[in-house]
């Protein structure tokens, strides 16, 4: 789920929705509104301002509402383990017991539950025999217990498809790097992210030789420019950037990970666009916010 959150931060449509809900849009923003902006607003109303807090705070407030089913299938749950000779209850056991009552049990609809201690003494057959004896004592309650309720679908769920984690991560890293270093060329971003190193090493060497020759006032005509390598890097980076755009814009419409093509009102493919200055501004604000939190701690 973490990348859904982070790709919403990159989405141009979601940025428009954030501004629309906060202060309204200027004329330039209105010209950029997508035809399905209402769908983006619905996602925004659920996910909120994803730049307002970091992921861990956001997920604490939003996770259950967005990604948890209302009632999940009840399952046996281990609350802790007492080692041989242990006398006192450990902190982890107390924590797990509290979490069970406050967080897990509400999600399964408060079903009839047996809480037991299970000494691990003897073989598995003997231990299971004791469990059966305990269940036999409550056989009447078990027979008369209500049927298990079907698992409700969450409001949002990750799509099951062939979009690989590597594509998602690299696409995200490229956009952040491009925003953070606006003067970088594609091959420089590739070097920073260690992509296509066979090609980038040739480009890097050429650029170093060109810079050295220029500094010494020498001609650079004799240097071999790795044009094919640069074309390959540009093509690879362009593909990742396109994937990042589709991941971000589909995420803003409640679908992730999804690289389905997007089309405008005239049926043409939307142009890839990222508001890099805004992304950089938000990154800087977040860095300042984190620094202030660290100082307070």
């Amino acid at each position: 789920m973490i990348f859904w959150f982070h790709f919403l931060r990159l989405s141009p449509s979601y940025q428009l929705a954030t501004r629309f809900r906060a202060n309204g849009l200027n004329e330039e923003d209105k010209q950029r509104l997508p035809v399905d902006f209402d769908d983006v607003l619905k996602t925004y109303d659920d996910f909120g301002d994803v730049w307002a807090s970091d992921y861990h705070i956001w997920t604490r407030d939003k996770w259950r509402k967005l990604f948890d089913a209302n009632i999940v299938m009840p399952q046996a749950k281990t609350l802790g383990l007492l080692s041989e000779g242990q006398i006192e209850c450990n902190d982890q056991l107390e924590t797990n017991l509290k979490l069970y009552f406050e967080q897990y049990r509400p999600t399964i609809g408060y079903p009839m539950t047996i809480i037991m201690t299970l000494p691990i003494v003897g073989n598995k057959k003997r231990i299971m025999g004791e469990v059966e004896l305990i269940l036999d004592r409550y056989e009447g309650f078990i027979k008369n217990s209500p049927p298990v309720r079907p698992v409700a679908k969450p409001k949002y769920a990750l799509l099951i498809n062939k979009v690989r984690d590597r594509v998602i991560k690299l696409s995200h890293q490229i956009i952040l790097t491009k925003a953070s270093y606006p003067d970088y060329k594609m091959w420089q971003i590739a070097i920073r992210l260690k992509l296509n190193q066979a090609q980038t090493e040739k480009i890097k060497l050429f650029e170093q030789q060109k810079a050295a020759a220029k500094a010494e006032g020498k001609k650079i005509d004799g240097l071999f420019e790795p044009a094919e390598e640069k074309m390959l890097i540009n093509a690879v980076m362009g593909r990742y950037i396109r994937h990042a755009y589709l991941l971000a814009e589909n995420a803003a419409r409640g679908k992730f990970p999804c690289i389905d093509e997007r089309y405008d009102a005239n049926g043409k493919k939307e142009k890839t666009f990222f508001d890099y200055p805004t992304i950089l501004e938000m990154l800087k604000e977040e860095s300042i916010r984190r620094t202030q939190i660290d100082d307070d701690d």
Side-chain angles (χ1 to χ4, degrees), residues 194-213:
K194 299 180 179 180
L195 292 173
N196 294 81
Q197 290 179 287
Q199 288 76 28
T200 55
E201 282 301 317
K202 292 181 180 180
I203 299 172
K204 184 178 180 181
L205 178 60
F206 167 77
E207 295 294 332
Q208 289 172 343
Q209 291 173 339
K210 184 173 73 171

Side-chain angles (χ1 to χ4, degrees), residues 12 20 31 51 71 94 105 119-120 149 166 179 198 235 260 288:
F20 179 84
Q31 295 299 317
W51 280 108
I71 300 295
E94 291 182 352
R105 187 163 168 75
I120 306 176
R149 282 177 280 183
R166 174 177 168 78
D260 289 351
I288 293 172

